[in-house]
Each structure stands twice: as structure tokens, then as C-alpha cells.
Amino acid sequence: MRHLDTEQLTLLAFDEPSQQTTAAAHLTSCDTCRDEVAELRRLAGVVAHTRPLRALPPPPPRLWSAIAAQAGLAEAATGTAAAPSGRTSDAAASPDAGSGPRGPVRPTDNRPPAAAGPARQRRGLAKLALAAGVIAAVAAGAVAGVWWDRPPQPTVLAAAALTAYGDTPASATGSADVVAGNRLRLHVAGLPAVDGYYEVWLIDPDTMKMFSVGTLGPGADGEFSLPANADLAAYRLVDVSAEHFDNNTAHSGDSLLRGLLT
């Protein structure tokens, strides 16, 4: 029995009105083609559900090569596929092709070669389309899951751009955000190395009163809890200082970064 080609299967799966009725009638007597149309229809449903999602970046070429190999289309990558006309190329068909020495001819049995025939290629193309759609759907679902499952970000109540202070190299920078929940989030970059540690302060620039928020670790980011009664309208200057292990809890006077909360 002659099976439907890939184009006919695709048109039937997507219910194209231009499809010939004879192809549709073929499905009533061919389980193989009917199963492949059902697979492609499931693929159409998956694609329809992914349309509302944002565009995804194209997958790397090696991914499609792996799909083709799993779908039985690896012959195309090895150069043994049929020529565009459906016949093998003259160089491959001619026994005299090539200029190198020919080895002895070994006896063979009468079994047909293992090259992919039209039916196998048709089934492979259907598998390839189905696999590509499933992978796209899974990737889109993963992106959507990350997007939808992302916890809501707290509201930023005040922010400050931190710049180098005093003798600190100008390349040192930072930012500070006060977020809902009385939290101070800090990001710094380019701080000079110190023989002690970094400490974060809030200072009232009018009176120069201050209190310590906490110590900043070796990383570029830190998050600190603020006192519930902290008056950020007054203590609006964020300060990062270099401190020493001297059992002195007061500010060292060596400020590295400063910035006003607005």
C-alpha cells in the first residue's frame, strides 16, 4: 500500500480545506497514516498553546542534528541521502567514480540496502516535526514557569547611587535601595582591598549622627534589616567604611562610598 507523503499528512493534520478528499479517504484504510496524522494533530495543539508566550531564542544547530538522528534522518548528514531529483548522484551510482585504486569485490547476499526509502523518510520527517514541536513547547513552558513562579519583588521606597569618597579610587561605585519590609539592599563594585572589613552606616548629614546597619561580606551584594523606627528622612546618607579589628565600634573615619537616599 502506498502511503501519503509528508505534505498530505500535514494538510490533513491541520484540516486544510484544499486537501484532496482522496487523501482523507486513505486514512480509513491505513492505520500507519492515521496514527501519524493523530501525532501531528497533537503537535498542532501543543503549538497553539505556546503562541501567547514570548518568542524564544533559536536552539543551537547541534540540537536539530540530534533530533534528526533520533528521527532516522541521519543519512542526510553523512552525505548518503538521495539527490534532489530522487536519484543517487552520478558519482555515487557509477562504478568507475573516483580515481583511487579499487579493492576486491566481496560477494553479497540479495538483501536490500539499509538506505532510507520514501516511506521511512516520510515517517522520519513526521517524527522530526513532532520532536521539534515538543521541544519548543517544553522550552516555552520552562520559560513561562520561571516567569510565572518568580516571587513578587518588594517596592523600592528610596534609592541612592554610591560614589567614591575621599581617597577612594573613582572606579569604586555602588547602589543602595530601601525596600518594603525595612530592608536595605546594597550592591558595590571596585572597592579597594582593606586589612579589616567593610561596614555599612546610615548618617544624618545635618547632625552627623549615625548608626551601623551591618558589615558587608566579601561579595558584591548585601541585604540588611533596618530598625523599625529608623527615620530615613533624617538618616538619608548611606556610607560604606573601611574598619579595623580593633574592638572599636565607632566609625573609623575612613569612608569609601557615600550616597544620599532619595
Side-chain angles (χ1 to χ4, degrees), residues 86-188:
R87 301 185 302 271
T88 56
S89 64
D90 294 340
S94 172
D96 296 328
S99 58
R102 298 173 57 189
V105 177
R106 293 181 175 83
T108 60
D109 56 23
N110 293 324
R111 289 179 295 180
R120 181 179 173 185
Q121 291 178 349
R122 179 180 56 84
R123 290 192 295 272
L125 287 172
K127 291 178 182 178
L128 178 60
L130 181 62
V134 169
I135 288 176
V138 170
V143 170
V146 170
W147 182 265
W148 293 330
D149 293 341
R150 181 181 298 172
Q153 298 300 307
T155 303
V156 176
L157 305 177
L162 306 181
T163 57
Y165 184 83
D167 295 332
T168 306
S171 57
T173 60
S175 62
D177 293 327
V178 176
V179 299
N182 282 6
R183 306 286 293 176
L184 176 68
R185 291 182 172 178
L186 198 71
H187 174 78
V188 298

Side-chain angles (χ1 to χ4, degrees), residues 1-6 8-15 22-43 122-123 126 130:
M1 176 185 296
R2 182 176 181 179
H3 295 291
L4 300 177
D5 59 29
T6 304
Q8 291 174 313
L9 291 170
T10 304
L11 292 174
L12 284 171
F14 286 85
D15 296 324
T22 54
H26 173 81
L27 297 182
T28 62
S29 59
C30 180
D31 293 339
T32 300
C33 291
R34 187 165 56 249
D35 290 344
E36 292 182 3
V37 168
E39 287 185 2
L40 291 174
R41 282 177 177 166
R42 286 193 291 272
L43 168 62
R122 179 180 56 84
R123 290 192 295 272
L130 181 62

Side-chain angles (χ1 to χ4, degrees), residues 202-230:
L202 284 182
I203 302 175
D204 181 346
D206 298 329
T207 64
M208 294 309 293
K209 292 181 179 180
M210 65 186 71
F211 64 90
S212 174
V213 174
T215 59
L216 181 65
D221 300 287
E223 185 167 340
F224 311 91
S225 295
L226 298 177
N229 60 348

Side-chain angles (χ1 to χ4, degrees), residues 61-82 114-117 120-128:
R62 63 181 180 276
L63 177 62
W64 298 119
S65 299
I67 295 173
Q70 291 294 325
L73 301 180
E75 295 86 355
T78 60
T80 59
R120 181 179 173 185
Q121 291 178 349
R122 179 180 56 84
R123 290 192 295 272
L125 287 172
K127 291 178 182 178
L128 178 60

